[in-house]
Amino acid sequence: MKKAGNMNEEKNYQSIEVILAEQDVPWANDLIGIFQRHLSKRCQIQWGHHSTASLLVELALEPGIGVEGFRIEEVSSGCIRIVGNDKLGLRYGIGKFLRTSRYLQDRFIPSPWRGTSVPARKVRGIYFATHFHNFYHDAPIDQVREYLEELSLWGYNALNIWFDMHHYQGIDDPEARVMIERLKLLLGTAKQTGFNIGFAILANESFADSPIELRADQTFPGTRHVRGGYGLELCPSKPAGRELILKNIQWEFAVFSDLKIDFLWIWPYDQGGCGCEKCRPWGGNAFLRIAEEEAALARKFWPEVKIYLSTWLFDCVKPEGEWEGLHALLEKNPDWVGGVIADSHTDFPHYPLEHDLPENYPLLNFPEISMWGMNPWGTFGANPAPLRFERLWNQAKDKLQGGFPYSEGIFEDINKVVVSRFYWGDVPWQETLREYIAYEFSPHVVEDVIMAIKIMEQNQSRQWMGDSQTHDAYFYMKRAEASLSSKARTSWRWRILFLRSRIERELLSNHGKPTENCRPWFEELTEIYHARNAQECVKPIQMKYGNRD
Ligand SMILES: [Zn+2]
C-alpha cells in the first residue's frame, strides 16, 4: 500500500506555507498548529508565502482512502498534499511527513515519502498508569498532554487511564477530586484529538479507608508472589462488600459522566482479586459476577460503552479454571461483554492461543513495556527492548485486533513507538527505529544508536552482570552524540537513552551495582520523569551505591 520515492530529496526550503483545502473544517486549524509547532521545534523556518522558493503544504480530507489512513502526494514542484481519510488519518499523515522530512538549522528538506498508508488494526491504544506519583500523575499537565500529542502522531487512537482509589481516603478526599479533574483534562484532550477514551477499574478495588471486615482474602496460595493487591480490596461475596464496591464504582462513573466514555476495562488482579471460598477461582467466578453488575451500572451512564474484561494473571501459575470460566461465559454470548484483554509479564498466555474464543469478542493485548528487567522502573534510563516486543507480538498477532501497551512513564518511549507500528501494520522494529532516530536525533546517527539499543536490550536481560564479551553501548552513543545538534543532544529522549548507556557502563564495571558516579544521573532522570515525590517503584534517586571493588 505504500511506496517511497526520491523526489525533492535534495531540495530545501527556508519558508513554508500550510493551507487547508477545506476551510470549513473547524478542527483542521489544530492540525495546522501541530504541524507548525513540531516543525518549529526542529528548525528555524519562516512561515507563510515569502517567495516562489516557499514550499506549499496542503492539508486535505478525502474519504475512501481507508479508515484512519492517509496519502502523501506531490501536486507540483514545491507543492505537497497530505490527505487524510478522516480527522485522525490526516493527523497520522502529518506525523509521517514530519518524521520523514529532514531539518537543517534554518532550512527544511521535505519528506520524499509518497504513497498511501492505512492501519491494519482497529484498536491502537495506550494505557497511562496514572498513579504512584509517576510522570502521568505528577508532571505538569501540559507536558503530559504534549506527550499524548506526540504519541498520536505515531498512530495511536485511544487512551485509557486509571483512577487508582487506594491513594485516597474515600469519596470525599479533596485529593481524589484533584486527581479526577486531572484525569478528565487528559481524557478531554484525547477526545478532542479524535481518540476513543476510557478508564480501567479493578473489579473489587477500594479506597484506603475500606472497612477491614469487608476486605478480600488475598492469600492466593502458591500464587501470592505474582498476584495480590494493596490489601484494601473488598470481597464481593460479602453482601456489604459487594454493596460498597458498587457504591464506590457508581461514584466514579458519576464524576466522569460528563465525558463520553467509549470503553471501560474491568480488571481482575494485580492489584485485586479475592481468594475466599465463595470467590475462587476469582477470574472464572466472583470476578465475572461483580463485573456484570459493574457493566450494567456503566451502561446507565454510557449506554454505548464497550466493556473489556481483562484476564491479567488468569491461571498465572497453574490452571485454576479462570480462563475456562470466562470461556464458558462467552459461549453464552453475553451482550454486556465487548471484548477480552490478555497478556502477561512473560510470554503471551497459552489459553487464548490454543482455544478459539467466540469471535464476536475481540482480543486485545496489553504489552508490559515498563517493568521488565529494571527495578525501580526507568531508574537506569530508557529501557528499549524492541526484540523482546517483536517476539511477544509474533506469538499472538494473528489473534489480535490491537491493544494497549502498559505505561508507567516516558522512559519506555521507544517501546511505545515500536508497538504502535506493530498495530499499524506489522512494521519491523528496525524500520520504526530508523524513522524515530532520524527524526528525534539525526539521520546520521541511526546505525550507531541502533547498535547501542541492541546492546542495551541484551544487557538488561542479563541484569547488568557483564563480562569481557560485552560490547559497550556507551561507545556508540558517545560517537553519535558528537554529531548531534544542541537541541537533539539536550532533548529528554536523548538524555534518557544516553544516560542509560552511561549508567550501564558503571553497572557493568561494578557487578550490577550503581557507583557514586551515578548520583547526578539519577538526579537528572528523576527531574525528567517529575518523579521526586514518586513511590519507590518509579523513583531513580533512592538508589543505593556500592563502591567499585
Ligand atoms: Zn471473596
Side-chain angles (χ1 to χ4, degrees):
M1 287 295 282
K2 62 185 181 185
K3 60 183 188 298
N6 288 314
M7 294 154 92
N8 265 344
E9 197 164 38
E10 297 306 323
K11 189 155 185 190
N12 61 61
Y13 296 87
Q14 283 178 295
S15 65
I16 304 180
E17 184 176 17
V18 195
I19 60 164
L20 294 173
E22 286 131 289
Q23 298 295 334
D24 58 344
V25 184
W27 48 261
N29 283 313
D30 293 343
L31 292 179
I32 289 194
I34 288 171
F35 186 95
Q36 292 180 329
R37 204 161 52 248
H38 287 261
L39 208 148
S40 298
K41 271 190 215 165
R42 290 173 166 80
C43 68
Q44 292 162 345
I45 198 98
Q46 294 175 6
W47 292 100
H49 188 75
H50 292 277
S51 70
T52 49
S54 293
L55 174 71
L56 182 65
V57 177
E58 195 177 292
L59 306 181
L61 284 174
E62 189 186 301
I65 294 174
V67 177
E68 298 179 2
F70 64 85
R71 188 173 73 236
I72 301 179
E73 61 196 13
E74 179 141 326
V75 180
S76 59
S77 174
C79 177
I80 290 170
R81 187 186 286 144
I82 305 174
V83 192
N85 181 77
D86 39 47
K87 184 176 176 179
L88 282 175
L90 186 50
R91 176 177 290 254
Y92 304 141
I94 290 172
K96 184 73 180 174
F97 181 78
L98 289 169
R99 289 194 300 275
T100 48
S101 295
R102 293 296 164 252
Y103 305 86
L104 309 171
Q105 178 91 23
D106 58 353
R107 283 163 188 276
F108 170 78
I109 303 170
S111 167
W113 194 94
R114 303 286 178 266
T116 302
S117 188
V118 179
R121 285 176 178 77
K122 206 172 150 189
V123 183
R124 305 180 307 279
I126 182 72
Y127 168 63
F128 287 173
T130 40
H131 64 170
F132 296 161
H133 296 277
N134 64 13
F135 177 82
Y136 304 122
H137 193 164
D138 276 13
I141 188 75
D142 284 345
Q143 269 190 44
V144 185
R145 291 160 108 177
E146 189 184 324
Y147 187 53
L148 186 65
E149 180 179 296
E150 288 164 0
L151 292 178
S152 77
L153 292 170
W154 280 98
Y156 278 107
N157 71 354
L159 174 68
N160 191 35
I161 51 91
W162 179 25
F163 172 71
D164 186 345
M165 286 183 189
H166 97 285
H167 281 301
Y168 311 103
Q169 299 289 331
I171 288 171
D172 298 320
D173 185 338
E175 288 297 315
R177 297 284 174 168
V178 170
M179 189 59 181
I180 289 282
E181 288 314 310
R182 181 180 174 89
L183 295 175
K184 285 172 76 168
L185 272 175
L186 269 181
L187 289 175
T189 302
K191 193 63 155 179
Q192 211 176 2
T193 300
F195 277 26
N196 279 332
I197 58 169
F199 58 95
I201 58 171
L202 283 178
N204 64 330
E205 74 183 305
S206 175
F207 290 99
D209 64 349
S210 65
I212 291 167
E213 67 279 10
L214 301 182
R215 288 181 181 171
D217 171 358
Q218 290 192 329
T219 47
F220 303 126
T223 62
R224 183 71 184 87
H225 61 293
V226 279
R227 287 172 176 164
Y230 298 122
L232 310 164
E233 292 77 7
L234 299 160
C235 169
S237 297
K238 295 172 184 166
R242 172 187 158 275
E243 219 169 280
L244 185 52
I245 289 171
L246 295 175
K247 181 184 165 198
N248 289 343
I249 296 290
Q250 173 149 8
W251 171 85
E252 187 176 340
F253 291 169
V255 295
F256 282 115
S257 62
D258 52 342
L259 289 168
K260 190 193 166 293
I261 296 295
D262 300 293
F263 56 85
L264 173 76
W265 292 3
I266 306 181
W267 213 253
Y269 283 117
D270 182 30
Q271 305 70 25
C274 181
C276 81
E277 204 176 324
K278 288 181 177 161
C279 288
R280 70 174 180 249
W282 174 249
N285 181 13
F287 167 67
L288 300 176
R289 286 202 304 273
I290 192 72
E292 183 172 1
E293 291 198 80
E294 289 163 345
L297 207 50
R299 286 267 160 78
K300 288 186 183 165
F301 290 89
W302 306 283
E304 304 295 317
V305 70
K306 192 161 181 160
I307 307 290
Y308 284 98
L309 290 180
S310 166
T311 59
W312 183 252
L313 297 181
F314 266 26
D315 298 326
C316 59
V317 174
K318 55 184 188 302
E320 292 174 88
E322 297 194 294
W323 270 107
E324 280 175 3
L326 172 66
H327 197 162
L329 169 74
L330 297 181
E331 294 286 356
K332 293 181 202 152
N333 211 18
D335 62 1
W336 62 274
V337 183
V340 172
I341 297 167
D343 223 310
S344 94
H345 287 291
T346 54
D347 286 343
F348 197 82
H350 290 291
Y351 193 95
L353 296 180
E354 290 162 4
H355 301 79
D356 287 325
L357 299 177
E359 58 185 33
N360 42 338
Y361 300 103
L363 188 67
L364 305 182
N365 75 348
F366 185 66
E368 193 287 88
I369 60 170
S370 285
M371 303 181 287
W372 173 79
M374 198 189 295
N375 188 20
W377 313 323
T379 275
F380 304 148
N383 67 343
L387 288 141
R388 173 183 176 79
F389 294 110
E390 183 180 62
R391 181 175 65 76
L392 297 175
W393 171 249
N394 284 338
Q395 289 175 353
K397 66 179 180 184
D398 294 339
K399 295 253 183 177
L400 297 174
Q401 290 203 10
F404 285 77
Y406 163 84
S407 171
E408 282 282 351
I410 53 176
F411 51 88
E412 10 78 330
D413 189 59
I414 287 177
N415 297 336
K416 288 191 193 89
V417 165
V418 165
V419 173
S420 80
R421 306 310 287 171
F422 293 154
Y423 296 148
W424 185 275
D426 285 332
V427 180
W429 67 265
Q430 295 91 334
E431 188 180 324
T432 302
L433 285 194
R434 285 200 173 92
E435 200 166 297
Y436 177 95
I437 295 163
Y439 180 55
E440 297 294 352
F441 309 140
S442 158
H444 305 296
V445 303
V446 167
E447 296 312 319
D448 272 351
V449 176
I450 284 185
M451 279 299 293
I453 285 173
K454 281 160 82 173
I455 296 167
M456 288 182 206
E457 176 166 2
Q458 276 172 25
N459 286 338
Q460 185 162 326
S461 61
R462 291 211 303 239
Q463 303 292 310
W464 291 277
M465 298 301 278
D467 53 39
S468 57
Q469 300 301 309
T470 303
H471 296 287
D472 195 341
Y474 180 63
F475 165 80
Y476 292 104
M477 290 297 285
K478 195 80 185 138
R479 190 165 72 179
E481 192 176 60
S483 61
L484 295 186
S485 70
S486 67
K487 258 187 195 158
R489 202 166 52 232
T490 53
S491 70
W492 68 261
R493 285 185 173 84
W494 180 257
R495 291 302 297 164
I496 64 172
L497 195 62
F498 184 79
L499 287 177
R500 163 65 191 276
S501 73
R502 191 73 190 83
I503 292 170
E504 181 161 297
R505 203 160 84 139
E506 291 293 305
L507 297 172
L508 289 169
S509 67
N510 196 34
H511 307 293
K513 276 183 284 179
T515 66
E516 273 291 338
N517 292 340
C518 298
R519 193 183 291 272
W521 306 327
F522 291 144
E523 284 281 346
E524 185 180 342
L525 288 168
T526 304
E527 289 303 310
I528 291 171
Y529 303 159
H530 295 275
R532 200 153 284 281
N533 300 315
Q535 287 181 215
E536 283 185 4
C537 52
V538 276
K539 190 176 190 175
I541 45 170
Q542 60 176 331
M543 288 307 292
K544 303 271 182 291
Y545 305 95
N547 291 330
R548 216 185 294 261
D549 295 341

